[in-house]
Every structure is written in C-alpha cells, then in structure tokens.
Amino acid sequence: LGDKRHGHGELLLPSGDIYKGQFVHDQLEGTGSRWYLQTMVDGKPRYDMYQGSWRRNLRNGKGRFEWHTGEVYDGDWVDD
C-alpha cells in the first residue's frame, strides 16, 4: 500500500475538519466520524459532525449528522 492510509486512523484536514475512522487505499471507507469546522466562537471551534458509513470518501449508508445549531438527521445517505 506504500504511503496510503489503510485501516483505522485519524486525519486533520487543512480546512480544520477532523476525520477518525476507517481508510481503504487512502479513502474514507467503512465507518467513521468527521467533524466539519463551521465557525469559531470566543476562540473555540464549532463543528457539525457526521458519524456513520463512508464509501469512496462520501457519506453512504446509515449515518447521523448533527449540526452545531442542534439540528439532527439520522438516516440513510447516498453518495453525499
């Protein structure tokens, strides 16, 4: 696999997003959680968060998305 991510791990993206979960051949694949940096309030980050299934770097399958505003979607995802 060389220098490609494979297995369980963590990734900090340049955008400030964070991913913790499974990788297959350097792609988000399997189960994992991703925090999407939305804003900073008083020096503290506010994230939206998805936890669930991934396929080829996309949300796909069962998952839960929680917005930093308190809204929640829990259900099915297809290539999002």
Side-chain angles (χ1 to χ4, degrees):
L1 297 173
D3 60 353
K4 293 185 178 184
R5 295 174 189 89
H6 195 82
H8 192 271
E10 297 182 15
L11 175 64
L12 177 59
L13 297 158
S15 63
D17 293 358
I18 302 165
Y19 174 79
K20 294 181 182 181
Q22 296 175 314
F23 294 90
V24 175
H25 301 291
D26 218 29
Q27 293 190 27
L28 313 184
E29 184 85 24
T31 58
S33 299
R34 184 168 175 175
W35 290 264
Y36 300 87
L37 181 62
Q38 297 303 307
T39 187
M40 299 289 283
V41 176
D42 296 326
K44 296 179 183 177
R46 302 280 188 205
Y47 293 96
D48 292 345
M49 192 269 292
Y50 171 79
Q51 181 177 17
S53 297
W54 296 85
R55 186 173 66 181
R56 294 187 304 268
N57 291 330
L58 299 172
R59 295 178 289 235
N60 199 302
K62 298 286 183 190
R64 178 181 176 93
F65 196 96
E66 299 178 15
W67 285 265
H68 71 282
T69 58
E71 296 174 79
V72 174
Y73 171 77
D74 195 349
D76 296 316
W77 298 79
V78 178
D79 296 335
D80 183 48

